Amino acid sequence: MFSVVITIGIAATLAGCTAGGSAKVGARTSAIAVLDSKDLGDILVDGKGNVLYSFKPDNASTVSCTFGCATIWPPLSVADNASTAAGDGVDVALLSKLPNPAGGHVVTYNGWPLYRYAADKAPGQHRGQDVFLNGGYWYVMKPDGKPLMP
Protein backbone atom coordinates (compact mmCIF):
# COMPACT_ATOMS: atom_id res chain seq x y z
CA MET A 1 0.00 0.00 0.00
CA PHE A 2 2.78 2.42 0.93
CA SER A 3 4.59 1.91 -2.37
CA VAL A 4 1.33 2.56 -4.24
CA VAL A 5 0.98 5.91 -2.49
CA ILE A 6 4.59 6.83 -3.33
CA THR A 7 4.09 5.76 -6.95
CA ILE A 8 0.95 7.88 -7.22
CA GLY A 9 2.74 10.84 -5.64
CA ILE A 10 5.68 10.58 -8.03
CA ALA A 11 3.35 10.16 -11.01
CA ALA A 12 1.47 13.27 -9.92
CA THR A 13 4.75 15.14 -9.63
CA LEU A 14 5.87 14.09 -13.07
CA ALA A 15 2.49 15.06 -14.49
CA GLY A 16 3.03 18.51 -12.96
CA CYS A 17 6.22 18.91 -15.00
CA THR A 18 4.24 19.45 -18.17
CA ALA A 19 1.24 21.27 -16.75
CA GLY A 20 0.47 24.51 -18.52
CA GLY A 21 2.23 23.48 -21.71
CA SER A 22 4.92 26.17 -21.47
CA ALA A 23 7.26 24.61 -18.92
CA LYS A 24 10.12 22.45 -20.14
CA VAL A 25 10.92 19.31 -18.18
CA GLY A 26 14.65 19.88 -18.72
CA ALA A 27 14.46 23.22 -16.88
CA ARG A 28 13.20 21.57 -13.68
CA THR A 29 15.68 20.05 -11.26
CA SER A 30 13.39 19.43 -8.30
CA ALA A 31 9.87 18.22 -7.73
CA ILE A 32 7.46 18.19 -4.80
CA ALA A 33 4.50 15.90 -4.19
CA VAL A 34 2.09 15.10 -1.36
CA LEU A 35 2.35 11.79 0.46
CA ASP A 36 -0.43 10.42 2.68
CA SER A 37 1.57 9.20 5.67
CA LYS A 38 -0.47 6.85 7.86
CA ASP A 39 0.80 8.42 11.09
CA LEU A 40 1.38 12.08 10.08
CA GLY A 41 -1.32 12.64 7.45
CA ASP A 42 -0.49 14.52 4.26
CA ILE A 43 3.14 15.63 4.10
CA LEU A 44 5.45 16.94 1.39
CA VAL A 45 8.03 14.74 -0.32
CA ASP A 46 10.50 15.25 -3.14
CA GLY A 47 10.27 13.48 -6.50
CA LYS A 48 11.94 10.38 -5.02
CA GLY A 49 9.55 10.17 -2.06
CA ASN A 50 12.01 11.65 0.47
CA VAL A 51 10.20 13.55 3.22
CA LEU A 52 10.78 17.31 3.23
CA TYR A 53 11.52 19.17 6.46
CA SER A 54 11.66 22.75 7.67
CA PHE A 55 14.22 24.02 10.19
CA LYS A 56 12.84 26.22 12.98
CA PRO A 57 15.78 28.71 12.87
CA ASP A 58 14.91 29.41 9.21
CA ASN A 59 11.73 31.25 10.29
CA ALA A 60 13.07 34.50 8.87
CA SER A 61 13.05 33.03 5.34
CA THR A 62 16.78 32.42 5.36
CA VAL A 63 18.83 29.32 4.64
CA SER A 64 20.69 28.74 7.89
CA CYS A 65 21.56 25.04 7.53
CA THR A 66 24.68 25.09 5.36
CA PHE A 67 27.99 23.28 4.94
CA GLY A 68 28.33 20.69 7.80
CA CYS A 69 24.66 20.93 8.70
CA ALA A 70 23.72 20.37 5.04
CA THR A 71 25.53 17.01 4.99
CA ILE A 72 22.98 15.72 7.52
CA TRP A 73 20.07 17.82 6.19
CA PRO A 74 20.63 18.22 2.42
CA PRO A 75 18.59 21.10 1.04
CA LEU A 76 16.18 20.60 -1.85
CA SER A 77 18.26 22.49 -4.39
CA VAL A 78 17.29 24.07 -7.66
CA ALA A 79 19.49 25.69 -10.30
CA ASP A 80 19.41 29.47 -10.68
CA ASN A 81 17.31 29.37 -13.86
CA ALA A 82 15.16 26.35 -12.94
CA SER A 83 11.74 25.94 -11.37
CA THR A 84 10.12 23.31 -9.19
CA ALA A 85 7.48 20.87 -10.41
CA ALA A 86 4.39 20.67 -8.20
CA GLY A 87 2.27 17.53 -7.91
CA ASP A 88 -1.40 17.32 -6.94
CA GLY A 89 -2.07 18.99 -3.60
CA VAL A 90 1.04 21.18 -3.74
CA ASP A 91 0.18 24.88 -3.77
CA VAL A 92 2.29 26.39 -6.57
CA ALA A 93 1.79 29.86 -5.07
CA LEU A 94 3.74 28.73 -1.98
CA LEU A 95 6.77 27.57 -4.00
CA SER A 96 9.79 29.80 -4.35
CA LYS A 97 13.54 29.67 -3.82
CA LEU A 98 16.20 31.43 -1.77
CA PRO A 99 19.92 31.84 -2.40
CA ASN A 100 21.97 29.20 -0.62
CA PRO A 101 25.09 30.64 1.06
CA ALA A 102 26.86 27.43 -0.08
CA GLY A 103 25.89 28.15 -3.72
CA GLY A 104 22.82 27.75 -5.91
CA HIS A 105 19.29 28.04 -4.53
CA VAL A 106 17.13 26.14 -2.05
CA VAL A 107 13.46 25.46 -2.79
CA THR A 108 11.10 27.08 -0.28
CA TYR A 109 7.50 26.39 0.58
CA ASN A 110 5.58 29.24 2.21
CA GLY A 111 8.96 30.88 2.83
CA TRP A 112 10.47 27.84 4.57
CA PRO A 113 13.61 26.34 2.97
CA LEU A 114 13.10 22.60 2.41
CA TYR A 115 15.54 19.88 3.46
CA ARG A 116 15.79 16.10 3.49
CA TYR A 117 17.26 14.04 6.35
CA ALA A 118 20.21 11.73 5.74
CA ALA A 119 18.93 9.24 8.36
CA ASP A 120 15.72 8.68 6.34
CA LYS A 121 16.73 5.60 4.36
CA ALA A 122 13.44 4.80 2.60
CA PRO A 123 10.79 6.84 0.78
CA GLY A 124 8.26 8.25 3.24
CA GLN A 125 10.47 7.63 6.28
CA HIS A 126 10.40 10.60 8.70
CA ARG A 127 12.96 10.03 11.44
CA GLY A 128 13.68 13.77 11.58
CA GLN A 129 10.23 14.87 12.76
CA ASP A 130 10.47 16.97 15.95
CA VAL A 131 14.21 16.27 16.31
CA PHE A 132 16.53 18.86 17.87
CA LEU A 133 19.74 18.78 15.86
CA ASN A 134 22.21 21.31 14.44
CA GLY A 135 20.92 24.11 16.66
CA GLY A 136 17.16 23.79 16.21
CA TYR A 137 14.08 21.68 15.74
CA TRP A 138 13.16 20.00 12.46
CA TYR A 139 9.57 19.51 11.36
CA VAL A 140 7.92 17.76 8.44
CA MET A 141 6.33 20.22 6.01
CA LYS A 142 2.58 20.00 5.41
CA PRO A 143 0.84 20.88 2.11
CA ASP A 144 -0.80 23.91 3.75
CA GLY A 145 2.67 25.48 4.10
CA LYS A 146 2.93 24.99 7.85
CA PRO A 147 5.56 22.83 9.55
CA LEU A 148 4.09 19.96 11.60
CA MET A 149 4.93 21.32 15.06
CA PRO A 150 3.67 19.45 18.14
Side-chain angles (χ1 to χ4, degrees), residues 7 13 23 31 35 62 70 75 84 98 101 110 119 122 124 134 147:
T7 302
T13 300
L35 170 71
T62 58
T84 303
L98 287 171
N110 198 27
N134 296 96

Coordinates of all heavy atoms in Angstrom, one line a residue, residues 7 13 23 31 35 62 70 75 84 98 101 110 119 122 124 134 147:
T7 N 4.2 5.8 -5.5 CA 4.1 5.8 -7.0 C 3.1 6.8 -7.5 O 3.4 7.5 -8.4 CB 3.7 4.4 -7.4 OG1 4.7 3.4 -6.9 CG2 3.6 4.3 -8.9
T13 N 3.7 14.2 -9.5 CA 4.8 15.1 -9.6 C 5.2 15.2 -11.1 O 5.4 16.3 -11.6 CB 5.9 14.8 -8.7 OG1 5.5 14.7 -7.4 CG2 7.1 15.7 -8.9
A23 N 6.1 25.0 -19.7 CA 7.3 24.6 -18.9 C 8.0 23.5 -19.6 O 7.4 22.6 -20.2 CB 6.9 24.2 -17.5
A31 N 11.3 18.5 -7.7 CA 9.9 18.2 -7.7 C 9.3 18.0 -6.3 O 10.1 17.5 -5.5 CB 9.6 17.0 -8.6
L35 N 2.4 13.2 0.1 CA 2.3 11.8 0.5 C 1.4 11.7 1.6 O 1.4 12.5 2.6 CB 3.7 11.3 0.9 CG 3.8 9.9 1.6 CD1 3.5 8.8 0.6 CD2 5.1 9.7 2.3
T62 N 15.4 32.5 5.7 CA 16.8 32.4 5.4 C 17.2 31.0 5.4 O 16.6 30.2 6.1 CB 17.6 33.2 6.4 OG1 17.4 32.7 7.7 CG2 17.3 34.7 6.3
A70 N 24.3 20.8 6.3 CA 23.7 20.4 5.0 C 24.1 19.0 4.6 O 23.5 18.4 3.8 CB 24.0 21.4 3.9
P75 N 19.7 20.3 1.5 CA 18.6 21.1 1.0 C 18.0 20.6 -0.3 O 18.7 19.9 -1.0 CB 19.2 22.5 0.9 CG 20.7 22.2 0.6 CD 21.0 20.9 1.4
T84 N 10.5 24.5 -9.9 CA 10.1 23.3 -9.2 C 8.8 22.8 -9.7 O 7.8 23.5 -9.8 CB 10.0 23.6 -7.7 OG1 11.3 24.1 -7.3 CG2 9.7 22.4 -6.9
L98 N 15.3 30.5 -2.4 CA 16.2 31.4 -1.8 C 17.6 31.1 -2.1 O 18.0 29.9 -2.3 CB 16.1 31.3 -0.2 CG 14.8 31.9 0.4 CD1 14.8 31.5 1.9 CD2 14.8 33.4 0.3
P101 N 23.7 30.1 0.8 CA 25.1 30.6 1.1 C 26.2 29.7 0.6 O 27.3 30.1 0.3 CB 25.2 30.8 2.6 CG 23.8 30.9 3.0 CD 22.9 30.1 2.1
N110 N 6.1 28.2 1.3 CA 5.6 29.2 2.2 C 6.7 30.0 3.0 O 6.6 30.3 4.1 CB 4.6 28.6 3.2 CG 3.7 29.6 3.9 OD1 3.4 30.7 3.3 ND2 3.2 29.3 5.1
A119 N 19.3 10.5 7.6 CA 18.9 9.2 8.4 C 17.6 8.6 7.8 O 17.3 7.4 8.2 CB 18.8 9.5 9.8
A122 N 14.4 5.3 3.5 CA 13.4 4.8 2.6 C 12.4 5.9 2.3 O 12.2 6.8 3.1 CB 12.7 3.6 3.2
G124 N 9.3 8.1 2.2 CA 8.3 8.3 3.2 C 8.7 8.2 4.7 O 8.0 8.5 5.6
N134 N 21.6 20.2 15.1 CA 22.2 21.3 14.4 C 21.7 22.7 14.9 O 21.5 23.6 14.0 CB 22.1 21.1 12.9 CG 22.9 19.9 12.4 OD1 22.3 18.9 12.3 ND2 24.2 20.0 12.3
P147 N 4.8 24.0 9.0 CA 5.6 22.8 9.5 C 4.7 22.1 10.6 O 3.9 22.7 11.3 CB 6.8 23.5 10.2 CG 6.9 24.8 9.6 CD 5.5 25.2 9.3

